[in-house]
Amino acid sequence: RDPGKNRCCIKASRRRLYINCLCVIRINVIIVERLCLRLKGCMKCACARPDSHLIYFQVVIWRAVASIAWSVLLLPVTAAVFVLLSRFSLFHPIQWISDCTSLLAASSTVFSLVVLCGVVLITGFFNLEFYTLVPAIPCSRMALLGTVLHPRQCVHSLVYCTMGMLVMWCASVTIGGRYSTLGTPCRQSESGEVVTCLNEYHLFILLAGAFMGYSHSFLGVVQNMYYVSFQPIQQYKYPRFKGCLPMVVKCSVIQALYSARNFAAFYFFFGYAPKTWISSTLNLQIDSSIQPLDSLTGLLDFSLLYHLSISGTFLYLTWYLTVLLFRICVTEAYSFPVQSTFTEDAEQSLPKVLAEKNTLVMKFLALQDLALLSHHSLSRRLEVFSLSQPGGHAHNWNAISRECLSLLSELTQRLVAHQDAVASNGRVKSQSDIAETPRLSVPLRTPGSVFKSSVGGANNALTAPFTPDVNSPFSSPAIRRLVGQQDRQSPCFGTEQSPHIMRRGPKLWSASTGLSHLVAASFSEDQFGVVQTTLPNVLSCLVVLLEAVDRHFKLPHASSKPVRTICSMGDSTYKTLRFALRAALKTAIYKITTTFGEHLNAVNISTEHRKRLQQFLEFKD
Amino acid sequence: MCSLGVFPAPVTAAQTLLERNNELLSALHPGEHPQTHEPLSACVSVPRFLAVGSACVLALLRWASSFHGSLFPHLTLSSDEMVAEFSQMLDWSDSALRSFAWHPHTDKFAVALLDDSIRIYKSNSSATPTLKHRCQRSVCALQWKPLCGSALAVACQSCLLIWHVDPTSLSTRPSSGCAQVLSHPGHSPITSIAWSPTGSLLVSASPVDTAMMVWDVAAESAVPLQRVGGGGVTYLSWSPDGSRLLAATPSALFRVWETRMWTCERWPCLKGSCQVRKLRKLSITVFELMYAFIYFFKLTFFSQTSWDPRGERLAVLLKGDSQAVNHPSVIAVFKTRSSPVFELLPCGFVMGEAGAEPRFMQFHPHFQHGALLTVCWSDGRISHVPFYFSSAGLLGGDSPQQALASNTADHSSNKLYTEQIS
């Protein structure tokens, strides 16, 4: 062997690596530029219409960028763990550690990291584009198919396939050995000359990446991966991340094992096609001396399956961590000013953001902030109940209560409309009607008994068996909207509790000063007046909504519990939102009735509502 | 502070009926007990060799699986032993009554019996619904949901059950469909549960699990809050305003969580396991009280304290010595006053029937005429001992703390705005 030629080869390969590295860095820069362009676009929007977009930009986009930055920072850690696991050897621990350290410092690893950074950036971008606060619940299998075949979803799947292949390519380079390249030198059996053959292991790993990418994209639709829900309790980002990390690791391991099994089966049956295609396009020979992988003996290779599941876990973990960080960052509580001192930031004040129609996130964040303030912050509550300085109007309270009440009544109307639709369809037994209404199209997939009983208008279907389908609990658009609404509602109840808290708050104050007791009391009573004038509205609104919800629970299917999923990254809390709504409603009414007690008789409401409230007073509901 | 010498001598033969005019009155005839319920009997049959064998296997498994089992000896206990160790009920394993809970707003209470059924008694109704569920085994704690008429949380050996018992229904045997089953892998047996005062969250704890679960009950989802030190969580209690939560561990450590952002601070106990039972204004006084008791009474073990909702009577259950003949468990009642300075005056001992020892006690949450102490006795009886007194806050000046303390039930002094203008 010629040492000079060898060195030359090494130099050439290094140069090639550097060039590649530069290319990928360039691509990353382009991605970042695109992101910046989008941000700039948002900025322009914000400048053109300085109302809601500025604050949206300030809060949501900034948080998304922070979450992406955190995921990029986490990447070296997960990559190091992956390297350690992939090179694991039980009997040579010292060699294992030294191998791994040298590998971590190698230029190829750095190159892979740069590629992975690009993947994380794209994932973060997709999170920001696709995230939703209203879960999409397809009414039937056809609707689900439609969602999956939607062009937007197709682009998503394609990008995720590519990203999966990229990550798996990085993984195969890192694992090295027989996985590292697509072409390997091999000796032809007849002539004995050395030619380049197709390395099936490399191809196998790459195809696995594409398969996992597609299944991630598909399951994202089925499990509502991009649905962001607000937690029942508030935590700082780091403890929350720490608490969720074991769950995410477990999910990614389980998902990777499932995918590895499915892919092995897939490759066993269809592996021949891509193999021949690649070998014919790239003019690579197929080495006949090695056992082909699309056979039983080829697949039953422990080391191959181990590396496949390890790489799959790494792939899923990268994506899941990005999603998790995004969720954590976006749902973090944001404190809006109750009252703005300057007119420039009037748009950022709580009542204004509450009335927001375009950006749902801001509205949700505002409602969350309202719930927190009603529980935990006395000074901000006082601000809510304060009167405007010239004029003495309770603008803050009026605006906030008006918004909440309109949300509640909107939900009530939707519920009632939905019930009417179902009731009319229950009477009219024409098949066309039934087929048209999405609600009744569900029983077509469920056992026939349910179908009949629901058409007959009987409520016996409550106990009927329920297909363990991910999508069936919610079927009608009305209910879907209801689900979307509820998340807004439940924090909203915070406001209804504040009168009660406010009754105590100023009382302590007034009591503290002996002489000015009388004056202070009248002042505080004035403050009560602010709330109490809207009390009849609040009460009647709540009771009407409760009646509507009760009626809704009498519908078939509504009170049956959804099947609990064992382990998935998708958030399934939306399936139980209606129970949460009912519980929160009752608690809110109880809160008011126990606080005001017998005084409720002095409140001006209709007799039916009074009767209902009396039940609450006696704890009979 | 005070010592046992100041207490009036206990009348051993007679059962304590009530307090009136600052005196504890006893029943003249031992047979006459108008306030007690009939003994609740229950039978249980366990194949002995099976129980012992499985307990051994379980203990072995648990010992092997927990690498810090040697650090935390409670992990070597079997599931039942652990429940018995950390239950609020004294001598839980052979007690006819397993747990007891008053409803926070109405006159009804729930009792868990030895046969794992739960009965609900109401003040003006003869119907006593009996709750049974196949998951409902080794009930360790019960709690009614605040601001709700129907929901009852039950801590069982393997899971957490939420019963929805319709208060208007006359059914005596609600179906198991009325119960929600909440479980989380690795989170059993559950020995303590606590609803937040607003009823929105439920926190559950297990001595085996270092994480406590914060449940959103309607959504059936849990957020684990994990802190490694201490080896598990045995007891939970919310402060009355809902801003803090106390979590005791089996070792000499407890934590106080603030419930806004759910961060915690560690409080090491000075000695022994943490037996703090009530958190009231971060009860520094209770700690002082506890050590004062340990000092004065020379008792090794201090079992339960219960403070009535107005903060004027404090009941302390002192655990007796099972070996010695003349040292039964007793309940000592104190009159307390928190302003202007904290005062503790002896009131007397609460006695049961001859031979019966107190196992558990709880004050009625909103008794109109003073305080009502409910005691579960070792013979399966439950007795209610009323303490008639007028609140110091109503007689004395308008000090804000007393007004706050008595404010829960009393709304007569303040009127609504709409009432005033009309």
Side-chain angles (χ1 to χ4, degrees), chain B residues 128-143:
Chain B
T128 56
T130 307
L131 311 180
K132 281 187 182 176
H133 195 279
R134 64 188 163 78
C135 297
Q136 188 170 293
R137 267 182 243 120
S138 303
V139 177
C140 186
L142 296 173
Q143 202 178 14

Side-chain angles (χ1 to χ4, degrees), chain A residues 231 233-236 376 503-504 529 532 561 564 576 579-580 587 590-591 594-596 599 602 619-620, chain B residues 105-106 147-149 168 180 198 201 214 218-220 223 225 259-263 407 411 414 416-417 419:
Chain A
Q231 290 282 304
I233 61 171
Q234 293 298 310
Q235 278 179 285
Y236 288 111
H376 297 291
R503 280 173 74 89
R504 304 261 166 85
Q532 286 168 11
K561 308 252 168 176
R564 294 183 71 182
T576 48
F579 299 105
T587 309
Y590 269 123
K591 186 97 198 169
T594 47
T595 312
F596 283 81
H599 294 295
F619 280 86
K620 286 277 171 62
Chain B
H105 307 286
T106 51
L147 297 179
C148 181
T168 51
Q180 276 177 285
T198 52
L201 298 172
V214 182
E220 301 192 3
V223 180
L225 292 175
T259 58
R260 185 186 162 86
M261 293 307 283
W262 292 92
T263 53
N407 205 12
H411 290 287
N414 42 16
L416 279 189
Y417 183 71
E419 281 175 294

